[in-house]
Amino acid sequence: MALPDENKHWVLQSQNGDHAAFESLIRAHQHMIHSLTFRMTGSLADAEDLAQETFIRAYQQIQSYRGTAKFSSWLYRIGVNTCLNWRQRESRRSQIHDTWAKSAELDLSRLATKCDESEHPVQQALMKLPPKQRAAIILTVYDGLNHAEAAQILGCSETTVSWRIFAARKKLKQLLGKGGKNE
Amino acid sequence: MNDSELNNLLKSVPMPPRPESYWKDFPGRVATLLPRPSKIRRPAAWRLPRLSWSYGFALACLIFGFGVGLWQGRSHPDQMTGLEDKKVVREVMALFPNRVQAIIQDEKGIHLVLSDQPNVPASTPIWVRACSSHGNCFTAVTFSGQQLQFDGQPVEILAGRNGNVMVVGTRMFWTSEEPDRAAEHWRIRARTLNDTL
């Protein structure tokens, strides 16, 4: 991870349209964003697409970055929103596919499943959470943010984050507990 | 399983490894997809008058539209007014795609709460009406996951899977499943508009 002063310099340069400076910002934050996008999607290919989309959006919006928050937090927020929007797009797309498949009388069970990377039961359990609960777990458990910081990134109140985490933990415990089944 | 054990279990999952060449190439690949500098939106002086004209015109249309809606509402008290007019809400959303966080109507008039960037995710639209014990009322159309201010306190409006609405604040909680329960000193009514917008 880059030092804050280095980030500041690269951000200023990027705001002046310097692609090389933005490339440095990507290099400094690519692991963080890939980790987020993988935990949110459970797929390496989708994680790559979303990481790419996150950085492109960040570049398009970089004029609005005022330096009041840490650049990584600002970027992370774009990443989370990109993932949440992707879930909605995917859900719409999947509905269209389902309708199409039904009309074509295809056996959906024969279509290939896409997430070979998410075979790990923990990742599978994470994928069963609603996206906003998953995002709250990723921010607080994997990235170690407190509820206030997570609330800032997710654009909601601390109470909502606490509630989402509570609900997510309950479900994860059911799915991953000794008596739970993770089919 | 306690919380700490669950955390350890969650953290035990490794990220699938990628080859070193991937991390080396990824920044360059993204950089080739970045828009050229001239395409980045900048607050250039020559653009401001045009922007303000277009936004001014859009707002004038909105105010006119709301005015007509309200006037019609007053003329026909049995009809829906202002924010319950789905057409008006749809038009506002079309004017500011992905920017509308809330449309609020109170005793001072109608206010739009817009995001600086078109980054408001599409979610279930929700109609909310709240009246405080002091008699201050407001009506809003917002979207699941957005926040409204109740006496200056941020409160999140959420739509449940079964179509119920929750109003969640630091010190208050209300759900449309128990609509008569007062939240703090607020009387609230809310419903999703999913099927009609």
Side-chain angles (χ1 to χ4, degrees), chain A residues 77-168:
Chain A
R77 185 169 185 166
I78 294 175
V80 170
N81 283 331
T82 305
C83 291
L84 293 176
N85 287 340
W86 173 83
R87 291 297 308 172
Q88 283 162 348
R89 281 203 315 258
E90 276 296 290
S91 155
R92 277 197 292 271
R93 197 176 302 161
S94 133
Q95 278 172 6
I96 292 166
H97 280 184
D98 286 357
T99 311
W100 172 79
K102 275 176 196 159
S103 69
E105 295 182 352
L106 286 179
D107 180 2
L108 283 174
S109 64
R110 284 164 56 197
L111 293 177
T113 52
K114 73 170 193 171
C115 289
D116 51 340
E117 297 94 351
S118 65
E119 277 173 3
H120 197 289
V122 173
Q123 183 64 37
Q124 278 184 354
L126 266 180
M127 295 308 295
K128 286 181 181 167
L129 296 177
K132 287 183 178 177
Q133 287 181 18
R134 193 182 320 141
I137 286 287
I138 291 169
L139 290 170
T140 54
V141 176
Y142 290 103
D143 296 312
L145 302 187
N146 61 37
H147 292 195
E149 291 165 331
Q152 208 178 5
I153 285 176
L154 294 169
C156 60
S157 67
E158 272 184 70
T159 317
T160 306
V161 169
S162 307
W163 181 83
R164 284 179 189 165
I165 290 168
F166 172 77

XYZ file of all heavy atoms in Angstrom, chain A residues 77-168:
729
model
N -15.369 2.712 -1.438
C -16.804 2.984 -1.531
C -17.289 2.806 -2.975
O -18.354 2.252 -3.220
C -17.080 4.411 -1.044
C -18.539 4.689 -1.014
C -18.873 5.964 -0.290
N -20.314 6.072 -0.229
C -20.972 6.896 0.524
N -20.322 7.695 1.318
N -22.280 6.942 0.499
N -16.473 3.265 -3.916
C -16.832 3.077 -5.331
C -16.895 1.577 -5.641
O -17.804 1.103 -6.316
C -15.822 3.803 -6.245
C -15.940 5.315 -6.033
C -16.044 3.451 -7.716
C -14.923 6.132 -6.785
N -15.930 0.836 -5.084
C -15.905 -0.620 -5.317
C -17.154 -1.300 -4.775
O -17.756 -2.139 -5.452
N -17.539 -0.924 -3.562
C -18.729 -1.543 -2.954
C -19.962 -1.225 -3.800
O -20.763 -2.112 -4.118
C -18.922 -1.032 -1.500
C -20.281 -1.465 -0.959
C -17.820 -1.558 -0.600
N -20.101 0.047 -4.194
C -21.268 0.426 -5.015
C -21.257 -0.296 -6.358
O -22.306 -0.708 -6.853
C -21.298 1.941 -5.251
C -21.787 2.664 -4.012
O -22.565 2.121 -3.246
N -21.314 3.865 -3.794
N -20.078 -0.448 -6.929
C -19.978 -1.156 -8.209
C -20.456 -2.598 -8.029
O -21.200 -3.127 -8.865
C -18.520 -1.146 -8.726
O -18.089 0.210 -8.789
C -18.384 -1.762 -10.105
N -20.040 -3.233 -6.930
C -20.454 -4.617 -6.677
C -21.959 -4.700 -6.444
O -22.616 -5.629 -6.937
C -19.734 -5.185 -5.466
S -17.991 -5.436 -5.731
N -22.507 -3.752 -5.686
C -23.945 -3.805 -5.405
C -24.740 -3.576 -6.682
O -25.751 -4.237 -6.922
C -24.329 -2.772 -4.336
C -23.763 -3.048 -2.933
C -24.118 -1.921 -1.971
C -24.266 -4.370 -2.374
N -24.283 -2.655 -7.526
C -24.972 -2.431 -8.806
C -24.873 -3.665 -9.694
O -25.805 -4.012 -10.402
C -24.355 -1.245 -9.566
C -24.726 0.058 -8.914
O -25.685 0.120 -8.162
N -23.960 1.101 -9.175
N -23.714 -4.303 -9.637
C -23.501 -5.507 -10.448
C -24.493 -6.593 -10.050
O -25.052 -7.275 -10.890
C -22.070 -5.996 -10.245
C -21.770 -7.321 -10.881
C -21.437 -7.548 -12.180
C -21.777 -8.605 -10.246
N -21.228 -8.882 -12.381
C -21.428 -9.558 -11.219
C -22.021 -9.036 -8.951
C -21.327 -10.916 -10.938
C -21.935 -10.388 -8.663
C -21.593 -11.315 -9.647
N -24.745 -6.734 -8.722
C -25.690 -7.741 -8.258
C -27.061 -7.502 -8.883
O -27.735 -8.422 -9.297
C -25.841 -7.693 -6.722
C -24.641 -8.140 -5.957
C -24.263 -9.561 -6.187
N -25.368 -10.489 -5.997
C -25.306 -11.773 -6.301
N -24.226 -12.275 -6.817
N -26.354 -12.551 -6.103
N -27.438 -6.207 -8.944
C -28.758 -5.911 -9.505
C -28.785 -6.204 -11.000
O -29.738 -6.770 -11.517
C -29.114 -4.443 -9.235
C -29.554 -4.254 -7.802
C -29.502 -2.823 -7.355
O -28.938 -1.971 -8.031
N -30.070 -2.550 -6.203
N -27.699 -5.821 -11.694
C -27.617 -6.097 -13.139
C -27.678 -7.596 -13.391
O -28.378 -8.081 -14.254
C -26.303 -5.543 -13.693
C -26.300 -4.060 -13.944
C -25.232 -3.693 -14.969
N -23.951 -4.300 -14.780
C -22.890 -3.699 -14.257
N -22.989 -2.467 -13.827
N -21.740 -4.303 -14.160
N -26.879 -8.341 -12.573
C -26.823 -9.793 -12.735
C -28.188 -10.418 -12.509
O -28.588 -11.325 -13.224
C -25.838 -10.397 -11.723
C -24.408 -10.370 -12.177
C -24.198 -11.216 -13.411
O -24.265 -12.435 -13.315
O -23.969 -10.637 -14.486
N -28.866 -9.898 -11.489
C -30.166 -10.470 -11.165
C -31.136 -10.235 -12.323
O -31.885 -11.134 -12.694
C -30.634 -9.816 -9.868
O -31.992 -9.839 -9.777
N -31.093 -9.015 -12.909
C -31.965 -8.741 -14.054
C -31.616 -9.662 -15.222
O -32.458 -10.240 -15.870
C -31.844 -7.268 -14.469
C -32.723 -6.356 -13.626
C -32.887 -5.026 -14.314
N -31.667 -4.257 -14.365
C -31.299 -3.406 -13.416
N -32.058 -3.202 -12.373
N -30.175 -2.728 -13.522
N -30.262 -9.776 -15.453
C -29.796 -10.592 -16.572
C -30.230 -12.047 -16.371
O -30.681 -12.710 -17.279
C -28.263 -10.509 -16.643
C -27.712 -10.973 -17.965
C -26.228 -10.788 -18.006
N -25.848 -9.398 -17.782
C -24.634 -9.014 -17.404
N -23.702 -9.885 -17.182
N -24.358 -7.737 -17.260
N -30.104 -12.519 -15.136
C -30.459 -13.910 -14.875
C -31.955 -14.137 -15.077
O -32.367 -15.181 -15.573
C -29.973 -14.268 -13.470
O -30.918 -14.895 -12.752
N -32.764 -13.099 -14.708
C -34.210 -13.228 -14.946
C -34.491 -13.356 -16.444
O -35.302 -14.170 -16.873
C -34.947 -12.007 -14.413
C -35.195 -12.084 -12.919
C -35.754 -10.796 -12.359
O -36.058 -9.874 -13.107
N -35.862 -10.741 -11.060
N -33.781 -12.519 -17.233
C -33.976 -12.569 -18.686
C -33.556 -13.932 -19.224
O -34.255 -14.546 -20.017
C -33.177 -11.434 -19.374
C -33.793 -10.090 -18.986
C -33.164 -11.595 -20.889
C -32.941 -8.900 -19.310
N -32.410 -14.435 -18.715
C -31.942 -15.758 -19.161
C -32.964 -16.833 -18.825
O -33.254 -17.703 -19.638
C -30.605 -16.099 -18.484
C -29.457 -15.427 -19.150
N -28.159 -15.637 -18.774
C -29.413 -14.534 -20.156
C -27.356 -14.912 -19.533
N -28.110 -14.231 -20.373
N -33.512 -16.754 -17.594
C -34.481 -17.754 -17.160
C -35.699 -17.746 -18.079
O -36.165 -18.799 -18.513
C -34.935 -17.482 -15.722
C -33.857 -17.857 -14.725
O -32.810 -18.369 -15.176
O -34.048 -17.625 -13.529
N -36.173 -16.524 -18.355
C -37.356 -16.405 -19.208
C -37.052 -16.984 -20.587
O -37.841 -17.727 -21.155
C -37.737 -14.912 -19.361
O -37.753 -14.351 -18.063
C -39.086 -14.736 -20.015
N -35.872 -16.625 -21.075
C -35.486 -17.097 -22.401
C -35.373 -18.612 -22.419
O -35.874 -19.296 -23.306
C -34.155 -16.459 -22.799
C -33.594 -17.031 -24.066
C -33.969 -16.725 -25.328
C -32.577 -18.038 -24.165
N -33.246 -17.461 -26.219
C -32.379 -18.274 -25.549
C -31.813 -18.747 -23.244
C -31.449 -19.202 -26.003
C -30.888 -19.665 -23.711
C -30.730 -19.875 -25.079
N -34.728 -19.145 -21.367
C -34.513 -20.593 -21.318
C -35.844 -21.338 -21.226
O -36.042 -22.369 -21.864
C -33.642 -20.943 -20.113
N -36.765 -20.753 -20.421
C -38.069 -21.413 -20.296
C -38.794 -21.407 -21.632
O -39.387 -22.400 -22.028
C -38.911 -20.709 -19.224
C -38.601 -21.216 -17.837
C -39.369 -20.439 -16.796
C -38.767 -20.678 -15.422
N -39.124 -19.633 -14.498
N -38.712 -20.251 -22.306
C -39.425 -20.163 -23.580
C -38.794 -21.099 -24.608
O -39.457 -21.602 -25.501
C -39.442 -18.724 -24.087
O -38.141 -18.364 -24.457
N -37.502 -21.346 -24.476
C -36.831 -22.254 -25.416
C -36.887 -23.698 -24.932
O -36.310 -24.592 -25.528
C -35.381 -21.831 -25.597
N -37.597 -23.893 -23.799
C -37.753 -25.221 -23.207
C -36.407 -25.890 -22.963
O -36.200 -27.075 -23.247
C -38.652 -26.111 -24.075
C -40.075 -25.585 -24.134
C -40.984 -26.465 -24.942
O -40.457 -27.387 -25.565
O -42.187 -26.233 -24.953
N -35.491 -25.115 -22.445
C -34.181 -25.683 -22.124
C -34.197 -26.223 -20.710
O -34.916 -25.722 -19.850
C -33.113 -24.597 -22.211
C -32.719 -24.145 -23.602
C -31.673 -23.066 -23.500
C -32.169 -25.299 -24.410
N -33.419 -27.241 -20.495
C -33.281 -27.751 -19.146
C -32.190 -26.934 -18.462
O -31.011 -27.094 -18.738
C -32.892 -29.240 -19.222
C -32.721 -29.828 -17.829
O -32.936 -29.085 -16.853
O -32.372 -31.010 -17.756
N -32.628 -26.083 -17.539
C -31.661 -25.187 -16.888
C -30.605 -25.953 -16.100
O -29.479 -25.523 -15.962
C -32.396 -24.243 -15.930
C -33.126 -23.083 -16.593
C -33.934 -22.318 -15.552
C -32.141 -22.146 -17.265
N -31.010 -27.122 -15.596
C -30.051 -27.863 -14.783
C -28.857 -28.335 -15.604
O -27.820 -28.674 -15.058
C -30.743 -29.052 -14.143
O -31.166 -29.930 -15.161
N -29.020 -28.336 -16.932
C -27.896 -28.797 -17.763
C -26.952 -27.677 -18.137
O -25.903 -27.894 -18.716
C -28.432 -29.458 -19.020
C -28.967 -30.860 -18.733
C -29.829 -31.379 -19.846
N -29.134 -31.367 -21.120
C -29.752 -31.463 -22.281
N -31.067 -31.558 -22.317
N -29.070 -31.444 -23.402
N -27.393 -26.433 -17.843
C -26.495 -25.324 -18.161
C -25.311 -25.344 -17.192
O -25.450 -25.684 -16.032
C -27.233 -23.985 -18.027
C -28.339 -23.746 -19.047
C -29.036 -22.429 -18.749
C -27.763 -23.709 -20.460
N -24.180 -24.930 -17.684
C -22.978 -24.983 -16.854
C -23.086 -24.011 -15.687
O -23.615 -22.930 -15.830
C -21.763 -24.616 -17.703
N -22.608 -24.429 -14.525
C -22.552 -23.488 -13.399
C -21.286 -22.671 -13.559
O -20.289 -23.135 -14.108
C -22.504 -24.233 -12.069
O -21.458 -25.170 -12.139
C -23.814 -24.949 -11.794
N -21.348 -21.423 -13.040
C -20.237 -20.535 -13.366
C -19.162 -20.418 -12.287
O -18.056 -20.032 -12.572
C -20.773 -19.154 -13.683
C -21.249 -18.410 -12.498
C -21.541 -16.973 -12.875
C -21.709 -16.198 -11.602
N -21.792 -14.822 -11.714
N -19.515 -20.730 -11.030
C -18.594 -20.335 -9.974
C -17.739 -21.483 -9.488
O -17.939 -21.963 -8.381
C -19.355 -19.746 -8.809
S -20.021 -18.155 -9.190
N -16.824 -21.932 -10.284
C -15.978 -23.014 -9.809
C -15.029 -22.519 -8.717
O -14.553 -23.274 -7.904
C -15.192 -23.643 -10.957
C -14.467 -22.640 -11.791
O -14.835 -21.452 -11.746
O -13.521 -23.020 -12.472
N -14.778 -21.203 -8.694
C -13.869 -20.667 -7.681
C -14.515 -20.609 -6.305
O -13.842 -20.515 -5.307
C -13.409 -19.252 -8.037
C -12.607 -19.157 -9.307
C -13.493 -18.828 -10.493
O -14.728 -18.839 -10.343
O -12.941 -18.567 -11.565
N -15.870 -20.605 -6.256
C -16.510 -20.411 -4.959
C -16.923 -21.749 -4.343
O -17.915 -21.839 -3.650
C -17.718 -19.499 -5.100
O -18.684 -20.114 -5.882
N -16.137 -22.809 -4.616
C -16.480 -24.115 -4.085
C -16.242 -24.197 -2.591
O -16.775 -25.052 -1.919
C -15.694 -25.201 -4.813
C -16.367 -25.594 -6.114
C -15.532 -26.542 -6.931
O -14.457 -26.926 -6.456
O -15.949 -26.880 -8.042
N -15.406 -23.304 -2.074
C -15.119 -23.321 -0.645
C -16.407 -23.037 0.121
O -17.115 -22.084 -0.187
C -14.062 -22.265 -0.323
C -13.439 -22.511 1.000
N -14.138 -22.305 2.169
C -12.206 -22.930 1.356
C -13.339 -22.596 3.194
N -12.172 -22.986 2.712
N -16.721 -23.907 1.113
C -18.012 -23.726 1.811
C -18.189 -22.346 2.436
O -19.298 -21.835 2.484
C -17.987 -24.819 2.889
C -16.655 -25.434 2.847
C -15.991 -25.091 1.561
N -17.096 -21.753 2.926
C -17.236 -20.422 3.544
C -17.630 -19.390 2.488
O -18.511 -18.561 2.701
C -15.924 -20.023 4.267
C -16.008 -18.586 4.759
C -15.668 -20.957 5.427
N -16.972 -19.474 1.322
C -17.304 -18.524 0.260
C -18.732 -18.785 -0.238
O -19.477 -17.848 -0.517
C -16.289 -18.641 -0.889
C -16.487 -17.647 -2.008
C -16.280 -16.197 -1.578
O -15.410 -15.905 -0.760
N -17.084 -15.278 -2.103
N -19.109 -20.054 -0.282
C -20.487 -20.393 -0.700
C -21.493 -19.803 0.278
O -22.523 -19.272 -0.119
C -20.670 -21.903 -0.745
C -20.148 -22.525 -2.019
C -20.441 -24.025 -2.073
O -20.924 -24.612 -1.114
N -20.126 -24.633 -3.191
N -21.163 -19.907 1.562
C -22.069 -19.355 2.577
C -22.149 -17.838 2.435
O -23.226 -17.252 2.520
C -21.575 -19.737 3.968
N -21.003 -17.218 2.193
C -20.994 -15.754 1.994
C -21.891 -15.370 0.827
O -22.614 -14.380 0.872
C -19.573 -15.273 1.668
C -18.686 -14.774 2.796
C -17.334 -14.360 2.248
C -19.324 -13.614 3.546
N -21.834 -16.179 -0.232
C -22.619 -15.877 -1.429
C -24.116 -16.027 -1.188
O -24.918 -15.548 -1.972
C -22.207 -16.769 -2.610
C -20.792 -16.547 -3.109
S -20.435 -14.835 -3.476
C -21.530 -14.517 -4.837
N -24.480 -16.705 -0.091
C -25.911 -16.874 0.190
C -26.481 -15.691 0.962
O -27.685 -15.619 1.175
C -26.139 -18.172 0.959
C -25.999 -19.372 0.042
C -26.251 -20.672 0.748
C -26.073 -21.813 -0.241
N -26.007 -23.100 0.402
N -25.598 -14.791 1.396
C -26.089 -13.604 2.109
C -26.608 -12.583 1.103
O -26.098 -12.494 -0.014
C -24.945 -12.951 2.893
C -24.310 -13.753 4.020
C -23.152 -12.942 4.605
C -25.328 -14.064 5.104
N -27.587 -11.774 1.500
C -27.960 -10.643 0.635
C -26.732 -9.745 0.448
O -25.922 -9.606 1.375
C -29.046 -9.924 1.436
C -29.546 -10.931 2.409
C -28.401 -11.851 2.703
N -26.563 -9.131 -0.744
C -25.330 -8.391 -1.038
C -24.951 -7.339 0.001
O -23.777 -7.185 0.328
C -25.633 -7.743 -2.383
C -26.675 -8.592 -2.997
C -27.478 -9.170 -1.881
N -25.943 -6.629 0.540
C -25.597 -5.573 1.502
C -25.087 -6.160 2.819
O -24.213 -5.589 3.458
C -26.799 -4.654 1.739
C -27.058 -3.744 0.549
C -28.189 -2.790 0.787
C -28.342 -1.884 -0.428
N -29.482 -0.959 -0.279
N -25.631 -7.308 3.208
C -25.127 -7.969 4.418
C -23.718 -8.497 4.160
O -22.840 -8.429 5.007
C -26.051 -9.124 4.808
C -27.370 -8.652 5.405
C -28.269 -9.816 5.802
O -27.817 -10.954 5.948
N -29.543 -9.532 5.977
N -23.525 -9.029 2.935
C -22.197 -9.548 2.592
C -21.161 -8.422 2.630
O -20.074 -8.566 3.167
C -22.241 -10.191 1.201
C -21.018 -11.030 0.904
C -21.080 -11.604 -0.505
N -22.427 -12.035 -0.828
C -22.988 -11.869 -2.018
N -22.322 -11.309 -2.991
N -24.220 -12.268 -2.244
N -21.556 -7.269 2.072
C -20.626 -6.133 2.055
C -20.278 -5.721 3.481
O -19.116 -5.428 3.788
C -21.250 -4.967 1.297
N -21.274 -5.740 4.370
C -21.011 -5.343 5.762
C -20.042 -6.315 6.425
O -19.135 -5.917 7.167
C -22.325 -5.285 6.534
N -20.192 -7.605 6.141
C -19.282 -8.620 6.714
C -17.872 -8.451 6.142
O -16.874 -8.487 6.863
C -19.821 -10.050 6.430
C -21.021 -10.351 7.332
C -18.749 -11.108 6.585
C -20.681 -10.587 8.792
N -17.789 -8.217 4.850
C -16.465 -8.071 4.226
C -15.727 -6.877 4.824
O -14.542 -6.955 5.165
C -16.611 -7.926 2.691
C -17.098 -9.255 2.095
C -15.286 -7.522 2.045
C -17.526 -9.160 0.640
N -16.442 -5.766 4.968
C -15.799 -4.556 5.490
C -15.339 -4.734 6.933
O -14.242 -4.307 7.295
C -16.772 -3.373 5.425
C -17.097 -2.842 4.032
C -18.237 -1.851 4.076
C -15.880 -2.173 3.435
N -16.196 -5.364 7.754
C -15.859 -5.421 9.176
C -14.964 -6.611 9.534
O -14.062 -6.471 10.341
C -17.145 -5.482 10.033
O -17.948 -6.567 9.572
C -17.931 -4.194 9.932
N -15.223 -7.765 8.918
C -14.429 -8.948 9.289
C -13.121 -9.013 8.504
O -12.044 -9.123 9.079
C -15.243 -10.254 9.080
C -14.388 -11.476 9.365
C -16.472 -10.245 9.977
N -13.215 -8.892 7.176
C -12.001 -9.058 6.367
C -11.124 -7.807 6.389
O -9.908 -7.890 6.384
C -12.361 -9.402 4.923
C -12.930 -10.795 4.777
C -14.283 -11.004 4.605
C -12.098 -11.907 4.829
C -14.811 -12.269 4.483
C -12.612 -13.191 4.710
C -13.972 -13.369 4.538
O -14.478 -14.635 4.431
N -11.777 -6.629 6.383
C -10.981 -5.405 6.317
C -10.821 -4.737 7.682
O -10.152 -3.715 7.785
C -11.608 -4.430 5.318
C -11.576 -5.004 3.909
O -10.501 -5.493 3.505
O -12.612 -5.014 3.237
N -11.468 -5.298 8.693
C -11.260 -4.816 10.060
C -11.793 -3.420 10.340
O -11.324 -2.751 11.269
N -12.750 -2.949 9.561
C -13.304 -1.621 9.829
C -14.291 -1.707 10.990
O -14.913 -2.741 11.202
C -14.043 -1.076 8.600
C -13.271 -0.933 7.294
C -14.129 -0.227 6.254
C -11.990 -0.147 7.496
N -14.421 -0.582 11.733
C -15.468 -0.579 12.755
C -16.797 -0.196 12.099
O -16.832 0.168 10.923
C -15.107 0.341 13.928
C -14.931 1.778 13.485
O -15.654 2.262 12.610
N -13.972 2.470 14.073
N -17.866 -0.272 12.866
C -19.187 -0.074 12.281
C -19.354 1.344 11.715
O -20.015 1.533 10.690
C -20.282 -0.363 13.312
C -20.357 -1.815 13.689
N -21.423 -2.367 14.339
C -19.482 -2.846 13.475
C -21.212 -3.667 14.522
N -20.026 -3.974 14.014
N -18.743 2.319 12.372
C -18.879 3.707 11.899
C -18.194 3.859 10.539
O -18.729 4.487 9.613
C -18.269 4.663 12.908
N -17.000 3.275 10.420
C -16.262 3.363 9.147
C -17.012 2.625 8.035
O -17.114 3.096 6.910
C -14.852 2.783 9.309
C -13.945 3.627 10.179
C -12.679 2.879 10.627
O -12.713 1.631 10.765
O -11.670 3.549 10.851
N -17.536 1.453 8.393
C -18.296 0.674 7.396
C -19.540 1.448 6.971
O -19.908 1.466 5.794
C -18.682 -0.683 7.971
N -20.184 2.114 7.939
C -21.398 2.878 7.630
C -21.069 4.003 6.641
O -21.839 4.285 5.721
C -21.984 3.464 8.906
N -19.901 4.620 6.843
C -19.492 5.712 5.948
C -19.317 5.187 4.520
O -19.775 5.797 3.569
C -18.179 6.290 6.448
C -18.008 7.735 6.079
C -16.711 8.285 6.634
O -15.911 7.551 7.218
N -16.481 9.562 6.443
N -18.691 4.035 4.402
C -18.449 3.465 3.072
C -19.749 2.976 2.440
O -19.983 3.175 1.249
C -17.406 2.331 3.157
C -16.020 2.953 3.348
C -17.424 1.445 1.915
C -14.905 1.996 3.532
N -20.614 2.395 3.244
C -21.858 1.842 2.698
C -22.945 2.896 2.544
O -23.998 2.629 1.964
C -22.374 0.706 3.592
C -21.480 -0.538 3.624
C -21.919 -1.490 4.718
C -21.507 -1.254 2.278
N -22.684 4.091 3.081
C -23.659 5.176 2.931
C -24.938 4.908 3.710
O -26.025 5.180 3.216
N -24.787 4.344 4.914
C -25.979 4.123 5.741
C -25.599 4.385 7.195
O -24.467 4.749 7.496
C -26.500 2.693 5.559
S -25.321 1.442 6.008
N -26.559 4.211 8.099
C -26.279 4.520 9.504
C -25.551 3.349 10.176
O -25.589 2.215 9.680
C -27.581 4.797 10.242
O -28.340 3.611 10.297
N -24.929 3.656 11.315
C -24.240 2.614 12.079
C -25.222 1.540 12.520
O -24.901 0.350 12.526
C -23.607 3.229 13.332
C -22.221 3.763 13.097
C -21.629 4.250 14.402
O -21.322 3.415 15.271
O -21.510 5.469 14.538
N -26.428 1.978 12.885
C -27.442 1.011 13.335
C -27.740 0.007 12.232
O -27.878 -1.190 12.490
C -28.762 1.739 13.683
O -28.435 2.900 14.414
C -29.702 0.869 14.457
N -27.836 0.538 11.012
C -28.143 -0.353 9.890
C -27.005 -1.351 9.685
O -27.251 -2.536 9.462
C -28.353 0.475 8.616
O -29.338 1.459 8.899
C -28.816 -0.374 7.459
N -25.769 -0.857 9.790
C -24.619 -1.766 9.639
C -24.685 -2.835 10.729
O -24.537 -4.025 10.454
C -23.283 -0.984 9.723
C -22.110 -1.936 9.831
C -23.118 -0.110 8.498
N -24.946 -2.395 11.962
C -24.998 -3.360 13.076
C -26.084 -4.405 12.822
O -25.877 -5.595 13.044
C -25.307 -2.652 14.395
O -24.411 -1.608 14.587
N -27.211 -3.927 12.339
C -28.311 -4.854 12.077
C -27.942 -5.836 10.959
O -28.182 -7.033 11.066
C -29.561 -4.048 11.698
C -30.737 -4.931 11.448
C -31.585 -5.462 12.375
C -31.168 -5.429 10.179
N -32.519 -6.248 11.761
C -32.301 -6.253 10.427
C -30.727 -5.265 8.857
C -32.982 -6.891 9.402
C -31.404 -5.913 7.847
C -32.522 -6.714 8.116
N -27.318 -5.301 9.912
C -26.933 -6.184 8.792
C -25.922 -7.228 9.253
O -25.988 -8.398 8.864
C -26.317 -5.358 7.653
C -27.358 -4.593 6.856
C -26.710 -3.779 5.760
N -27.665 -2.888 5.134
C -27.331 -1.862 4.356
N -26.071 -1.597 4.109
N -28.248 -1.099 3.821
N -24.978 -6.792 10.104
C -23.955 -7.729 10.570
C -24.593 -8.786 11.463
O -24.288 -9.985 11.360
C -22.819 -6.981 11.298
C -22.024 -6.187 10.260
C -21.914 -7.934 12.061
C -21.071 -5.207 10.842
N -25.499 -8.340 12.312
C -26.191 -9.287 13.198
C -26.922 -10.353 12.372
O -26.784 -11.556 12.609
C -27.180 -8.517 14.090
C -28.073 -9.407 14.897
C -27.605 -10.038 16.043
C -29.392 -9.643 14.504
C -28.430 -10.874 16.775
C -30.213 -10.485 15.233
C -29.732 -11.104 16.376
N -27.669 -9.876 11.358
C -28.439 -10.807 10.527
C -27.504 -11.733 9.748
O -27.760 -12.937 9.611
C -29.333 -10.025 9.577
N -26.403 -11.164 9.236
C -25.456 -11.948 8.444
C -24.794 -13.017 9.306
O -24.663 -14.176 8.893
C -24.396 -11.033 7.838
